[in-house]
């Protein structure tokens, strides 16, 4: 049997695929060969240091890591947060997801079918507007530490909130005009599928949502997640003993519009891509309504104490459920564990009868489609190599 | 900067102009397509001249340099990092002229934004190495794992380590720019206990390296440095940590918008208090602005929108060597701890202590603090 080793880059780092089979993929193993060791250098540091270190796990979804860190600490020390702080956090985390989806679609995925630099510019223009909106509250993007256990450090004025509302509306309108409208029509998605079948890349059809931020509803218990070693420098992740798929399709599968697509194409590459792009619109809509509820007279921060305890939190990040777990002893970090969404989707199983979401999507498909199928999970090697 | 320098630059630009560009369109045409007029472009050149610390008479030259920026081949390597620097540069400070220029430079290899992937990408890389040997600028993002031969980071189909790839690429580069704190000094991966033995680029290659640290550095500092190389064909003036003086000549503290409160002894005592609501100085909640050389307070981020201190969180000192260890804890003032970094002399410790003990005498402290010059000039 022919075995090909394929290096996949342009996924914010790179992964290698060991592909078995001639024309079609009989079996595939996914490997990551980078390691940075964030969890190890968090140990024995003051708890608050995690807030500055953890966004650096990923320059692309640093807010999600910051949010998960803050929530893990808050769960450990029973902190309270004002509604205002919650909404502000929602805005930056939500916008980060929107920005990620746009960049993933045009910069990472698009070039697998269409080689045209103008789409990179297109993504850049959106990213600029979104980053500006995030920076209004958080100070800068990427990498900031404006969320702290008990709230946020920023105290936006009315003027800043007005600016933010304005920006959100502008992004929302531009999104409909240039990326996808509310009826899920998108010229660019159609262009992407010109030479690519829409029904390839069907996967395990087991969807998991662990975070309950934004409008997402969780359907699982974070305590049932288990991490196990695999043959590369990454780790496999199982939920209740099974591999699952996390991400936009998992959290929007019950959306009425997505259901219609799903009924036709099942959990294929098309449904997965369409849902991710559509989710951007849904989040913007949610934020535009949510920001109206901000009462700037509320406190941004409510003081909380540190105690010897453990905390675990899951949030919905751009690529899916992200878990942070902390143990605090005498104000210092005694234990820290991070499980990233890419680990869920890209676990590498040796057992043909028990495959991860990405493995399952690639098996039995033509080799020429592998790049697009693999990338439709919005892979991030940077966060895997934490 | 005399006439002879200007003449030299003109000659250099004339030589560059003779080289082929990468596309059918000129930089001017591409800018116009994106809605920038000639006037916008000249305004940008003047602003860039100011940022680079050059007299305004240099601004037409900067415009010319930008116009030939597609002649300069650039290879961008990703090592142990989080991609935050690329994020800062290619996607976030746009759609400005900086961003368009970066997209337009003759970028031969960049893992994230190039159109090629897989084997094709590897081929492009090898081809660029050969074709542009001795002529390309190498930008490195990320630290270099060195432990166990560097096996914690392998790239490409032959499992080449980041260390090997960097060495052979740097050997052929005309200039090496470390973009961000990771490639400059090792960054977060190099924080204690540094499990993968990460080092900065300058520690593993035998070539002068210009460091543009920051986590992430502002797009302005990255583009400014690249432009400087195009303009002068040489690296800009640097401090002892090889940081360009035009960007890292002053401390965050020197131009901070909250500086008046520091001088008046008005501090945020804890997040969310009266001081926080009123935008007081963040020193007591851990701001490392007095120990950090960078221009964030002047240039800001994301189209000049904001920066961390404006959002109520102190500077973490991200452009200083080993700051992950020496500046921690990040939300407590340094004066509580021994400050081990080589960047500031012992005075800083004493001054910090003075401020904490007698906050009211901040003005006196300030006077002394101002005596801390960039030690590496």
């Amino acid at each position: 049997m022919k075995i090909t080793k394929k290096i996949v880059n342009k996924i914010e780092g790179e992964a290698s695929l060991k592909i078995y089979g001639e024309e079609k993929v009989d079996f595939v193993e996914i490997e990551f060969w980078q390691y940075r060791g964030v969890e190890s250098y968090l140990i024995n540091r003051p708890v608050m240091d995690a807030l500055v270190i953890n966004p650096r796990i990923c320059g692309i979804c640093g807010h999600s890591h910051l949010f998960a860190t803050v929530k893990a600490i808050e769960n450990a020390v029973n902190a309270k947060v004002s509604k205002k702080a919650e909404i502000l956090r929602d805005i930056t985390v939500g916008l980060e997801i929107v920005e990620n989806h746009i960049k993933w679609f045009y910069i990472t995925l698009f070039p697998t079918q269409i080689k045209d630099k103008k789409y990179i510019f297109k993504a850049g223009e959106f990213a600029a507007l979104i980053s500006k909106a995030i920076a209004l509250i958080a100070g800068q993007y990427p990498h900031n530490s404006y969320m702290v256990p008990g709230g946020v450090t920023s105290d936006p004025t009315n003027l800043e909130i007005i600016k933010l509302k304005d920006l959100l509306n502008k992004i929302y309108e531009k999104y409909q005009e240039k990326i996808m409208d509310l009826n899920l029509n998108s010229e660019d998605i159609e262009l992407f599928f010109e030479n690519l079948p829409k029904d390839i890349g069907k996967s395990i059809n087991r969807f998991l949502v662990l975070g309950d931020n934004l409008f997402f509803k969780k359907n699982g218990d974070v305590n049932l997640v288990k991490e196990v070693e695999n043959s590369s420098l990454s780790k496999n992740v199982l939920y209740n003993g099974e591999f699952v798929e996390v991400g936009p399709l998992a959290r929007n599968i019950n959306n009425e519009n997505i259901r219609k697509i799903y009924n036709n194409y099942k959990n294929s590459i098309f449904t997965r891509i369409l849902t991710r792009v559509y989710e951007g619109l849904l989040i913007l809509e949610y934020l535009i309504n949510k920001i109206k509820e901000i009462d700037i007279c509320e406190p941004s921060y409510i003081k909380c104490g540190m105690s010897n305890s453990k905390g675990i939190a899951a949030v919905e990040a751009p690529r899916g459920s992200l878990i942070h777990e902390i143990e605090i002893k005498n104000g210092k970090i005694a234990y820290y564990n991070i499980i990233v969404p890419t680990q869920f989707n890209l676990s590498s199983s040796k057992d043909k009868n028990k495959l991860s979401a990405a493995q399952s999507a690639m098996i039995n498909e033509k080799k020429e489609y592998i790049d697009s199928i693999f990338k439709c999970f919005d892979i991030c090697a940077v966060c895997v190599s934490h | 900067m005399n006439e002879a320098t200007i003449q030299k630059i003109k000659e250099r630009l004339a030589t560059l102009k003779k080289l082929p560009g990468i596309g059918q369109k000129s930089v001017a045409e591409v800018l116009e397509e994106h809605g920038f007029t000639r006037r916008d472009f000249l305004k940008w050149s003047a602003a860039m001249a100011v940022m680079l610390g050059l007299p305004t008479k240099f601004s037409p030259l900067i415009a010319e340099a930008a116009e030939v920026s597609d002649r300069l081949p650039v290879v961008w390597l990703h090592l142990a990092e989080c991609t935050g620097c690329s994020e800062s540069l290619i996607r976030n400070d746009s759609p400005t002229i900086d961003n368009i220029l970066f997209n337009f430079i003759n970028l031969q290899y960049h893992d994230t934004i190039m159109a090629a992937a897989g084997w094709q990408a590897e081929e492009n890389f090898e081809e660029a190495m050969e074709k542009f040997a001795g002529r390309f600028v190498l930008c490195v993002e990320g630290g270099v794992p060195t432990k166990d031969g560097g096996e914690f980071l392998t790239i490409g189909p032959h499992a080449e380590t980041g260390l090997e790839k960097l060495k052979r690429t740097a050997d052929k580069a005309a200039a090496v720019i470390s973009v961000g704190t990771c490639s400059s000094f090792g960054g977060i991966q190099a924080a204690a206990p540094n499990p993968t033995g990460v080092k900065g680029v300058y520690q593993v290659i035998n070539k002068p390296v210009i460091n543009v640290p920051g986590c992430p550095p502002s797009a302005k500092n990255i583009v400014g440095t690249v432009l400087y190389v195009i303009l002068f064909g040489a690296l800009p003036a640097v401090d002892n940590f090889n940081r360009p003086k035009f960007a890292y000549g002053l401390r965050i503290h020197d131009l901070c918008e909250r500086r008046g409160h520091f001088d008046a002894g008005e501090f945020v005592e804890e997040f969310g208090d009266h001081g926080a609501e009123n935008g007081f100085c963040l020193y007591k909640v851990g701001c490392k602005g007095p120990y950090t050389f960078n221009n964030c307070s002047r240039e800001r981020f994301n189209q000049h929108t904001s920066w961390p201190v404006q959002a109520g969180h102190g500077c973490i000192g991200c452009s200083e060597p080993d700051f992950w260890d020496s500046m921690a804890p990040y939300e407590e003032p340094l004066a509580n701890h021994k400050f081990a970094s080589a960047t500031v002399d012992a005075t800083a410790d004493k001054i910090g202590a003075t401020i904490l003990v007698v906050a009211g005498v901040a003005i006196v402290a300030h006077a002394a603090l101002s005596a801390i010059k960039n030690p590496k000039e």
Side-chain angles (χ1 to χ4, degrees), chain B residues 98-113:
Chain B
D98 300 339
N99 172 274
I100 289 166
L101 279 182
F102 183 76
N103 278 298
F104 202 71
I105 56 173
N106 189 356
L107 194 64
Q108 289 293 320
Y109 182 88
H110 185 295
D111 196 54
T112 317
I113 63 167

Side-chain angles (χ1 to χ4, degrees), chain B residues 27-329:
Chain B
V27 170
E29 281 166 339
V30 172
L31 288 175
E32 207 186 307
E33 262 176 29
H34 285 83
F36 291 101
T37 61
R38 184 75 194 159
R39 193 182 143 84
D40 293 328
F41 184 50
L42 292 176
K43 263 163 73 184
W44 171 88
S45 309
M48 192 49 96
V50 171
M51 201 203 80
L52 291 171
L54 299 169
T56 42
K57 66 179 173 184
F58 272 77
S59 59
L61 287 175
I62 290 194
E64 267 188 64
E67 282 179 329
V68 296
S69 57
D70 61 331
R71 268 75 162 175
L72 185 84
V74 174
V75 168
W76 187 291
L77 283 188
H78 282 259
L79 302 178
E81 42 82 38
C82 75
T83 316
C85 301
S86 285
E87 284 290 314
S88 169
L89 178 61
I90 60 176
R91 299 168 194 181
N92 289 315
D93 202 13
S94 71
T96 62
I97 292 172
D98 300 339
N99 172 274
I100 289 166
L101 279 182
F102 183 76
N103 278 298
F104 202 71
I105 56 173
N106 189 356
L107 194 64
Q108 289 293 320
Y109 182 88
H110 185 295
D111 196 54
T112 317
I113 63 167
M114 66 192 169
W119 291 99
Q120 198 191 345
E122 295 306 314
E123 269 168 29
N124 285 1
F125 176 79
E126 300 303 335
E127 222 179 274
M129 287 293 95
E130 215 161 286
K131 199 168 153 195
F132 301 106
R135 289 205 284 129
F136 67 89
V137 172
L138 169 64
C139 292
V140 188
E141 184 178 350
V144 198
T146 61
K147 198 176 159 191
D148 298 337
E151 66 171 27
F152 294 97
L153 173 84
T154 63
I155 308 170
H158 308 294
E160 186 177 24
T161 63
L163 180 64
E164 284 164 13
K165 186 155 189 167
L166 169 68
K167 278 184 176 171
R168 76 182 171 99
T169 317
D171 266 352
K172 293 190 172 171
V176 184
I177 301 176
S178 283
V179 178
T181 299
C182 294
S183 52
S184 297
F185 309 120
I188 180 75
Q189 310 56 230
N194 192 355
T196 59
V198 169
K199 289 185 175 169
V201 169
Y202 82 95
Q203 291 170 298
V204 297
I205 65 170
N206 298 315
K207 242 186 187 164
V209 176
I210 188 138
N211 290 329
V212 187
C215 189
S218 76
K220 284 248 179 315
N221 292 354
I222 307 170
V223 173
T225 308
V226 174
L227 264 185
Y228 197 100
V229 174
I230 298 175
L231 265 183
F232 296 97
L235 301 176
V238 292
D239 66 9
N240 259 23
F241 295 121
N242 278 355
R243 301 176 292 197
K245 280 188 188 169
F246 69 78
Y248 302 87
L250 287 173
R251 292 168 305 172
I252 296 281
H253 188 61
D254 295 329
L255 295 168
C256 180
E257 64 218 25
R258 297 183 186 231
R259 176 58 178 269
H261 293 293
F262 175 90
D263 292 350
E266 293 169 336
F267 294 95
V268 175
E269 302 288 335
E270 59 182 42
F271 293 125
D273 69 3
H274 163 78
E277 280 169 13
N278 288 289
F280 286 0
C281 173
L282 296 162
Y283 184 83
K284 289 191 180 182
V285 284
C287 184
K288 308 298 187 288
Y291 318 101
T292 308
F293 291 85
N294 207 336
N295 55 2
C296 312
S297 39
R298 187 178 62 205
E299 299 297 335
R300 301 192 187 181
F301 291 84
N302 310 105
Q303 295 152 284
H304 207 81
T305 304
S306 187
W307 66 299
V309 166
Q310 194 175 331
H313 193 282
C315 160
I316 59 168
C318 73
S319 49
E320 298 303 309
D322 305 323
F323 84 99
W324 287 109
D325 294 319
S326 59
M327 301 268 188

Side-chain angles (χ1 to χ4, degrees), chain A residues 323-369:
Chain A
I323 303 168
H324 277 228
E325 190 178 2
I326 190 171
E327 188 179 340
I328 304 169
K329 263 188 197 152
N330 304 322
K332 298 212 164 156
I333 301 166
Y335 170 81
Y336 209 98
N337 193 40
I338 300 154
I339 298 175
V340 302
T342 303
Q343 282 176 264
F344 279 102
N345 290 338
L346 267 66
S347 287
S348 188
S349 162
K350 298 246 181 211
D351 181 354
K352 276 194 170 181
N353 299 314
K354 196 177 180 180
L355 297 165
S356 74
Q359 277 179 309
S360 175
M362 287 186 280
I363 286 175
N364 285 330
E365 299 293 358
K366 282 188 188 165
K367 275 188 179 173
E368 59 187 282
Y369 301 146

Side-chain angles (χ1 to χ4, degrees), chain A residues 5-7 9-10 12-14 33-37 40-41 45-46 48-49 51-53 56-60 99 103 107 111 115 117 120-121 124-125 127-129 131-132 135-143 145-146 148 153-155 160 233 301 303 371 375 382, chain B residues 34 80-84 87-88 91-92 94-95 100 103 109 111-122 152-157 188-189 191-193 195-196 215-216 270-272 277 301-303 305-308 310-313 316 324-325 328-331:
Chain A
K5 196 158 184 196
K6 183 178 171 62
I7 297 291
N9 32 26
K10 271 186 66 60
E12 315 291 8
E14 65 172 40
W33 294 108
Q34 286 120 32
Y35 169 77
R36 296 196 296 150
S40 73
Y41 44 75
R45 283 187 181 254
M48 298 290 269
D49 279 12
L51 302 170
V52 179
I53 291 174
R56 268 84 185 174
I57 291 166
C58 185
I60 304 140
E99 194 198 36
K103 289 186 302 199
I107 300 176
K115 316 260 184 234
K117 245 185 168 182
I120 293 180
F121 281 114
E125 283 175 25
L129 273 181
S131 306
K132 195 174 175 179
L136 270 174
I137 308 176
Q140 74 176 60
Y141 187 80
H143 292 340
S145 303
Y146 93 109
V148 285
T153 62
S154 64
D155 232 331
E160 279 160 330
L233 291 175
Y301 171 82
K303 196 181 175 182
D371 238 21
K375 285 179 182 165
V382 172
Chain B
H34 285 83
E81 42 82 38
C82 75
T83 316
E87 284 290 314
S88 169
R91 299 168 194 181
N92 289 315
S94 71
I100 289 166
N103 278 298
Y109 182 88
D111 196 54
T112 317
I113 63 167
M114 66 192 169
W119 291 99
Q120 198 191 345
E122 295 306 314
F152 294 97
L153 173 84
T154 63
I155 308 170
I188 180 75
Q189 310 56 230
T196 59
C215 189
E270 59 182 42
F271 293 125
E277 280 169 13
F301 291 84
N302 310 105
Q303 295 152 284
T305 304
S306 187
W307 66 299
Q310 194 175 331
H313 193 282
I316 59 168
W324 287 109
D325 294 319
Y330 313 114
E331 270 134 5

